[in-house]
Amino acid sequence: MPVAGKKQLPDVVELESAIVKSPISGREWDVSGSFSRMLNPRVLTDYTYAGFAKIASLTGGESLQNCYGCGKCVPVCPVDLVGEYGPRKIHRRVQTGLDLFKADELWMCTTCANCLRVCPKQVNMVEVMPAVREAAVAAGDIPEELQVVMEKTFRYGNALGENPRKRHAWTKGAGVPVRVLSGDPGPVDVLFYVEDYWSYHPRGQQAAQAFARLLSHAGVDFAILGAEEKTVGDSQRLAGEKGLFEALMEEVVQVLDKYDFRRIVTPDPHGFNALVKEYPKYGHNYEVLHYTQLLAPLVGNLPLTNRIDAKVTFHDPCYLGRHNGEYDAPRTLINAIPGVELIEMGRCKGNSYCCGGGGGGMWLDGFNANHLTERLSERRVREAAETGADILAVCCPYEVSRFEDAAKSTGNERLKVMDISELLDMAIG
Amino acid sequence: MKIVVAMRQLADLVEELEVNADGTDIDRDFVKFVSNEWDEAALEEALCHKDDGDAEITVVALDEPDVDQTLYTALAKGADRAVKLTGHDPEGWIRTGDRAAILASWLERDDFDLVLTGVQAADDLDGQLAGVLAERLGVRHAAVVVGFHDADSAVQVEQELGGGTVAVSSLELPAVLGIQAARQTPRYASITRIRQAQQTQTIQEVEISAGGSLGGTVRKISPPKKRGGAEMLEGSASEVAERIAELIRSKGLARS
Ligand code: SF4
Ligand code: SF4
């Protein structure tokens, strides 16, 4: 019985009445479902392959059927810790007749990839789930909360449904000049791809402003796209809207083609993931860095003279760490701040716990509330608080708002949630 | 049953609306346009009927900004045919009376049993479109419809009257219905399907010359004057509670 989860009794999927007939003697055994059934011969033909066949016919859906039930994936699945989940459980439920295309379970995977890290059979939920979701979405089956976000993204180019012309409104409070390429289109070294939550969410805007100040301190030549920027939409892709992702990509590439820049730098590990891994599949190749990767080698140029005497713990974003192998850059930045003591959580780096925001989870809090004992972000904040840290440092734009809400709802207001860019900005004298 | 759904585009309120330089219209240059949500409900109700039996759905709209997206979305959701009526200024303000005239002159040539449209729209808060259209076509009309059923050459409609009363009546076909709500929230058309519709289906364009405008001329429009506003209460929880209690008492909402 796991600690946090509200575990259910297993569904017993056995035929109520079953007779096995010997092909040789013609003798019949009654093996109907009963308490002593384990002692009798088992009916092994209760299940059909149909469920797997339907999923395996989709590009990306092939690997679910490969599961051989070893169970390694379940204890590392962040969703199972607060509910009933994991590839093995999904595999078993499909085997016993679950129509994954119509099931709520379809939307609960955050595509965090922790199961893939341990699976000996390479059952890849990061591909299986988006493939099945795509088919479900095409049939019109999509949770309402998510549908609204898809429509907003399609219409406005951002998941929040905000006015596209106000995308760079945050620059006003930056305190340093921020060049917008449409007004000043000359060559530039770094194209700062701000993405949705740093553009519009009030806490994200503060991080964007801090980052602009850091770039200016480090002497980096940078510019943004302003109103011409649209989200890359990687989480929308993983939530089943590949068509939307491709439509956005056409527009993003068209805008990028207009300008002369050397590399793209983004704070959003999701956008980063798509630019690094998905765009090349369509022939679009850019040099892309996460903002921590740009700053880590430049940290010596920053006048970090203000001490921050605090214990800090750090949450690895799934799409920076596990998906793209970057664990060091954020830690280099945190350790460069005088006074800071970095304490790691039990689940960190490759085994980092998911905040619940990936793969569409960002927009499914209400939907998932029916299935989980607590939010993944709440589980994670409790873990962060248990380390005794004063500050939970993050470097994904989804996380500040998720964890701040979770800190409040779990009674851990004492724990401050800050983006690494904000911490560095505070440390600058 | 042949169902025509008439849809219209409206200024998207994600942007703040401004009055244009000569004060006779909203400034349409920077505004995005979206389809009217009641028209979306009308489309959804039509699609539900198609799911249930054999309805054939045509969506029709006047040429207006971003209207193609609305029509392709309707095709992706399952409409059979999309028609765009041209021959007017697509960038200007189309008055409800003119809209009804243009739709009527097309509908007179087309074959239909039912016309569905949203009971109202942000630029038609009185809900005139369905009624004027029916009058022009010389057919029956019902407004605030929340459901309807086929009954041979008639249709049984449910109308939402005030105070939670629902009236059920029977209308001979053909008829025009102003739809208040569909039986379910409008379905989702995935972007993949909308893009497929754009590539594989076409919007039929029909030019209508409906003659001069029927409406009067607008001399001046202006945003409503701001009245009142919110007051933020500051202080500790008990101070704020004290202030709220005082306010409730001073408005006579609570005794003692
Ligand atoms: S780790 Fe892989 S093979 Fe093992 S139970 Fe999980 S999905 Fe199946
Ligand atoms: S990707 Fe993450 S959330 Fe999805 S099944 Fe695997 S471990 Fe669980």
Side-chain angles (χ1 to χ4, degrees):
Chain A
M1 170 79 70
V3 236
K6 168 182 64 187
K7 292 288 174 182
Q8 306 141 356
L9 289 173
D11 283 339
V12 180
V13 186
E14 304 206 336
L15 293 187
E16 234 174 82
S17 90
I19 306 286
V20 173
K21 187 174 176 185
S22 163
I24 303 163
S25 64
R27 206 181 128 194
E28 290 183 349
W29 286 270
D30 181 355
V31 292
S32 305
S34 67
F35 74 95
S36 61
R37 186 167 167 204
M38 281 176 70
L39 307 173
N40 288 318
R42 307 286 302 243
V43 178
L44 296 178
T45 51
D46 290 4
Y47 320 116
T48 75
Y49 176 67
F52 295 121
K54 196 168 154 202
I55 294 168
S57 71
L58 306 169
T59 312
E62 305 87 351
S63 64
L64 185 63
Q65 60 184 330
N66 297 347
C67 171
Y68 62 178
C70 70
K72 284 182 153 205
C73 54
V74 172
V76 301
C77 173
V79 182
D80 189 69
L81 203 65
V82 292
E84 289 288 349
Y85 214 67
R88 182 183 192 274
K89 290 185 179 176
I90 298 295
H91 175 271
R92 180 63 175 159
R93 298 214 54 204
V94 169
Q95 190 176 48
T96 54
L98 176 79
D99 182 357
L100 190 57
F101 292 77
K102 300 249 184 233
D104 285 1
E105 282 88 338
L106 178 56
W107 305 99
M108 289 163 64
C109 170
T110 66
T111 66
C112 76
N114 212 16
C115 52
L116 183 60
R117 183 175 62 86
V118 299
C119 176
K121 299 284 285 177
Q122 293 294 292
V123 172
N124 189 348
M125 299 300 265
V126 183
E127 288 179 356
V128 172
M129 285 303 185
V132 179
R133 288 169 183 175
E134 200 187 333
V137 168
D141 294 322
I142 180 171
E144 212 172 310
E145 281 166 277
L146 197 55
Q147 165 172 349
V148 173
V149 170
M150 298 300 189
E151 285 166 349
K152 283 179 181 166
T153 309
F154 187 46
R155 182 166 298 285
Y156 306 112
N158 69 76
L160 293 90
E162 293 284 346
N163 185 338
R165 283 197 292 152
K166 298 206 175 126
R167 200 166 176 102
H168 51 302
W170 64 270
T171 58
K172 285 198 200 88
V176 293
V178 178
R179 191 175 137 200
V180 182
L181 282 178
S182 57
D184 185 357
V188 69
D189 174 18
V190 165
L191 175 66
F192 169 21
Y193 211 93
V194 191
E195 270 289 355
D196 288 354
Y197 287 83
W198 270 24
S199 293
Y200 293 113
H201 192 281
R203 286 292 284 115
Q205 291 181 330
Q206 289 167 354
Q209 290 160 350
F211 182 58
R213 290 192 286 272
L214 294 172
L215 288 176
S216 140
H217 272 291
V220 175
D221 171 32
F222 76 101
I224 61 169
L225 292 170
E228 285 184 295
E229 184 186 298
K230 290 190 169 197
T231 180
V232 168
D234 202 42
S235 295
Q236 286 86 338
R237 172 180 69 89
L238 294 159
E241 258 294 8
K242 198 166 160 201
L244 174 58
F245 174 77
E246 289 174 346
L248 287 166
M249 180 164 52
E250 283 169 21
E251 296 178 58
V252 169
V253 168
Q254 212 173 40
V255 172
L256 292 179
D257 279 351
K258 293 205 299 200
Y259 300 113
D260 181 6
F261 55 87
R262 196 158 72 87
R263 50 214 173 133
I264 299 174
V265 171
T266 181
D268 181 8
H270 305 273
F272 171 73
N273 179 68
L275 290 166
V276 171
K277 287 191 179 154
E278 297 302 315
Y279 273 42
K281 292 183 192 161
Y282 297 81
H284 308 303
N285 295 289
Y286 303 99
E287 186 185 337
V288 189
L289 294 173
H290 183 253
Y291 87 89
T292 55
Q293 295 174 318
L294 175 81
L295 289 180
L298 300 176
V299 76
N301 304 0
L302 295 173
L304 302 175
T305 50
N306 288 348
R307 283 182 71 83
I308 301 180
D309 287 303
K311 289 188 212 127
V312 174
T313 188
F314 171 64
H315 168 78
D316 286 276
C318 302
Y319 274 85
L320 185 64
R322 222 160 16 242
H323 280 270
N324 288 290
E326 182 60 78
Y327 303 109
D328 296 335
R331 290 180 169 77
T332 304
L333 295 174
I334 295 170
N335 284 322
I337 300 171
V340 159
E341 183 196 340
L342 176 63
I343 320 172
E344 295 288 357
M345 284 182 264
R347 276 180 277 245
C348 64
K349 302 188 181 171
N351 188 30
S352 178
Y353 192 76
C354 174
C355 81
M362 186 71 185
W363 309 300
L364 286 165
D365 268 346
F367 180 87
N368 283 332
N370 299 330
H371 300 287
L372 307 178
T373 50
E374 66 181 336
R375 291 193 184 92
L376 275 67
S377 51
E378 292 168 332
R379 187 74 190 77
R380 184 57 158 172
V381 154
R382 291 201 288 113
E383 186 176 356
E386 278 159 20
T387 64
D390 310 299
I391 298 173
L392 169 57
V394 299
C395 61
C396 167
Y398 288 8
E399 285 158 4
V400 178
S401 62
R402 290 190 76 73
F403 286 146
E404 275 188 352
D405 292 349
K408 282 187 202 129
S409 64
T410 57
N412 286 301
E413 287 96 341
R414 182 189 66 72
L415 184 73
K416 277 211 257 172
V417 184
M418 292 181 78
D419 193 279
I420 292 177
S421 68
E422 293 178 296
L423 279 172
L424 288 169
D425 185 50
M426 259 172 68
I428 282 185
Chain B
M1 177 154 64
K2 287 194 167 66
I3 302 180
V4 173
V5 181
M7 304 191 72
R8 52 204 138 155
Q9 296 290 104
L10 294 170
D12 186 343
L13 298 178
V14 74
E15 309 253 1
E16 262 173 48
L17 298 186
E18 283 172 25
V19 175
N20 68 4
D22 50 349
T24 54
D25 190 3
I26 55 169
D27 188 343
R28 290 173 186 265
D29 284 353
F30 289 108
V31 181
K32 279 179 91 76
F33 286 79
V34 290
S35 74
N36 175 25
E37 64 175 293
W38 282 278
D39 297 347
E40 293 287 348
L43 174 64
E44 182 58 36
E45 192 55 32
L47 291 165
C48 289
H49 277 266
K50 184 176 170 177
D51 294 343
D52 290 349
D54 63 339
E56 185 194 313
I57 303 172
T58 301
V59 278
V60 60
L62 274 60
D63 188 10
E64 287 178 278
D66 300 329
V67 73
D68 287 8
Q69 191 175 323
T70 299
L71 292 175
Y72 281 123
T73 305
L75 288 172
K77 286 182 179 179
D80 300 284
R81 183 166 73 117
V83 178
K84 181 163 77 178
L85 305 180
T86 63
H88 56 275
D89 173 15
E91 306 293 333
W93 178 2
I94 301 162
R95 310 297 153 79
T96 302
D98 297 337
R99 189 184 294 279
I102 295 169
L103 285 169
S105 58
W106 176 73
L107 281 163
E108 274 159 4
R109 304 181 223 160
D110 212 76
D111 190 19
F112 67 91
D113 298 307
L114 264 184
V115 179
L116 307 186
T117 191
V119 68
Q120 59 173 343
D123 67 354
D124 177 22
L125 287 175
D126 302 333
Q128 297 186 5
L129 181 65
V132 176
L133 184 57
E135 180 57 29
R136 283 197 161 260
L137 293 167
V139 301
R140 282 157 191 79
H141 159 244
V144 274
V145 172
V146 292
F148 62 88
H149 311 279
D150 283 338
D152 296 327
S153 65
V155 64
Q156 206 178 61
V157 299
E158 285 160 30
Q159 287 170 283
E160 196 177 88
L161 306 181
T165 321
V166 173
V168 181
S169 47
S170 178
L171 288 186
E172 244 173 71
L173 294 177
V176 181
L177 307 183
I179 300 290
Q180 164 78 12
R183 65 185 87 159
Q184 60 184 36
T185 46
R187 65 195 61 195
Y188 184 62
S190 76
I191 313 306
T192 310
R193 286 187 51 177
I194 298 175
R195 278 156 62 87
Q196 269 166 10
Q198 279 165 346
Q199 280 149 18
T200 57
Q201 286 173 276
T202 48
I203 294 171
Q204 184 191 343
E205 291 193 23
V206 180
E207 192 173 330
I208 303 285
S209 45
S213 169
L214 302 155
T217 40
V218 173
R219 270 183 287 170
K220 184 170 158 39
I221 67 170
S222 60
K225 285 209 180 62
K226 276 215 177 74
R227 264 178 296 164
E231 184 197 340
M232 301 304 284
L233 302 178
E234 313 251 335
S236 71
S238 58
E239 283 161 13
V240 172
E242 187 57 40
R243 272 286 288 144
I244 295 174
E246 214 172 278
L247 278 169
I248 292 175
R249 252 183 256 122
S250 71
K251 305 269 177 216
L253 295 170
R255 260 172 292 154
S256 85

